[in-house]
Amino acid sequence: YIGLFGVLLLTSCGLTIQQKAAVDQFATATRDLSVTAQTEFQKSRQDVVEMNRLRLELGDTNADVTKLDSLLTLDRTKDRIVALQALEDYGGLLNKLVGIVPEGELLEASNTFVGNLKQVKGITLTDQEAEGIGKAVAAVGGLYVEHKRAQAVRQVVETAHTPVLTMIDLLKKDFDPNSDFWNAGYRQTALDLRGHASSIAGSVPANDLASKQSIQRAKTLAGENMDRFTAVSSQIVALATMLSDAQKNLRLVLNPSDLNVQNIDHLTTQVREFKTIYGLLRNESPR
């Protein structure tokens, strides 16, 4: 990646206070978005199981009792969680590199990130690249040696650049309503539930209040789920785009001659707001 990151710092210099703060903000935003997206993958899969169970209860012959998680299977969910855990670990390692942590904790963060990154489907991390990260982090040692930390940050950011962008791109595709990925599977399940409920509504006797109530519940659930998922998806796609841009421009934060942290400040604010909104939509306390 010639010219991508430019000259980080002279080997005798470390990161400035502003640079540390910017890297720390970027890392925290990366972790927060990754954690929230992991939760959404888990929750949306549970939604699909619940909606398919309702279809089965309403007598939909197209609902397979053995495949209630159809379209959003356990294996598909696991692959996405693994990728997001690696992205979360990337942020965690950067957080620790610009902070003051024990040597063992720093090395553990490095090993965890490299190990999880190797498990992500579609990602290639050579042994040489993995070793380069490990050596750079190990060189920091237990002492707060500024230039060693700066070198380690550069090594991690540069080596992880392509894998990180790939993982972010996969996240964007999954929640993009115009792509045939996770979003499409969720949307199809909600449409199937609402469609079946509407198709049988007219044949239910007027005095069958229990059935009418079940049909109305199915329609309401499908509508509420889709509205919430649409709102969450649009936020994740927008934030993933911002995160990708911030990763590409991280060299600006690490180059003392061209310091510009405005995009990272904006990303941090937006991710923080999204966590609050997501907690309200999913009725969960942010992690």
Side-chain angles (χ1 to χ4, degrees):
Y1 308 103
I2 298 176
L4 180 60
F5 294 100
V7 178
L8 172 65
L9 293 164
L10 296 175
T11 56
S12 60
C13 300
L15 297 175
T16 67
I17 293 176
Q18 285 180 304
Q19 289 166 337
K20 288 179 189 175
V23 172
D24 191 55
Q25 284 184 324
F26 168 82
T28 299
T30 299
R31 293 176 62 193
D32 287 346
L33 180 57
S34 301
V35 168
T36 305
Q38 287 177 58
T39 301
E40 181 55 26
F41 275 124
Q42 295 166 346
K43 291 288 187 180
S44 54
R45 179 179 176 274
Q46 292 171 2
D47 288 346
V48 162
V49 170
E50 183 181 8
M51 288 189 286
N52 280 334
R53 183 179 291 115
L54 264 179
R55 287 172 59 201
L56 189 65
E57 292 174 359
L58 291 175
D60 188 348
T61 56
N62 292 318
D64 189 343
V65 69
T66 65
K67 297 180 181 179
L68 290 178
D69 63 352
S70 178
L71 301 180
L72 306 190
T73 64
L74 188 61
D75 285 342
R76 290 179 180 177
T77 308
K78 181 187 69 176
D79 290 342
R80 286 157 171 82
I81 296 297
V82 168
L84 285 169
Q85 284 175 339
L87 192 60
E88 178 186 353
D89 293 335
Y90 172 62
L93 178 55
L94 290 179
N95 275 139
K96 287 178 169 58
L97 280 171
V98 295
I100 304 177
V101 297
E103 180 181 3
E105 188 176 333
L106 190 57
L107 292 175
E108 181 182 1
S110 173
N111 293 335
T112 298
F113 168 57
V114 170
N116 283 346
L117 189 59
K118 286 185 174 181
Q119 301 301 314
V120 179
K121 288 186 177 180
I123 296 295
T124 300
L125 184 72
T126 67
D127 290 339
Q128 184 178 3
E129 290 172 330
E131 185 179 356
I133 290 177
K135 285 183 176 179
V137 173
V140 174
L143 299 176
Y144 195 62
V145 182
E146 291 290 345
H147 78 277
K148 288 294 186 182
R149 288 182 181 269
Q151 290 173 343
V153 169
R154 178 181 62 178
Q155 182 74 35
V156 170
V157 170
E158 186 168 357
T159 304
H161 185 68
T162 296
V164 165
L165 291 183
T166 298
M167 290 185 289
I168 295 173
D169 187 56
L170 291 174
L171 178 63
K172 287 170 60 179
K173 287 181 178 177
D174 270 327
F175 287 97
D176 183 353
N178 298 315
S179 295
D180 190 23
F181 289 88
W182 193 268
N183 192 303
Y186 191 98
R187 186 172 61 251
Q188 186 60 55
T189 303
L191 290 174
D192 286 343
L193 174 59
R194 186 166 58 190
H196 179 70
S198 298
S199 69
I200 64 174
S203 60
V204 176
N207 60 348
D208 189 353
L209 299 181
S211 294
K212 285 184 174 295
Q213 187 177 36
S214 295
I215 290 172
Q216 185 56 51
R217 177 172 177 266
K219 290 180 179 180
T220 301
L221 181 66
E224 289 180 346
N225 279 354
M226 200 60 242
D227 287 345
R228 181 182 60 244
F229 187 75
T230 298
V232 170
S233 294
S234 65
Q235 289 287 311
I236 289 179
V237 169
L239 290 172
T241 300
M242 293 174 62
L243 185 62
S244 180
D245 290 341
Q247 168 64 27
K248 293 174 184 176
N249 292 320
L250 193 53
R251 63 182 176 86
L252 300 179
V253 177
L254 302 179
N255 189 334
S257 66
D258 194 10
L259 180 62
N260 181 359
V261 298
Q262 183 177 4
N263 67 325
I264 290 181
D265 286 338
H266 184 55
L267 169 66
T268 303
T269 300
Q270 293 299 308
V271 170
R272 188 181 300 115
E273 291 179 357
F274 172 60
K275 283 180 63 181
T276 302
I277 294 172
Y278 184 79
L280 294 172
L281 289 172
R282 281 293 186 182
N283 194 26
E284 285 210 343
S285 299
R287 281 172 53 183

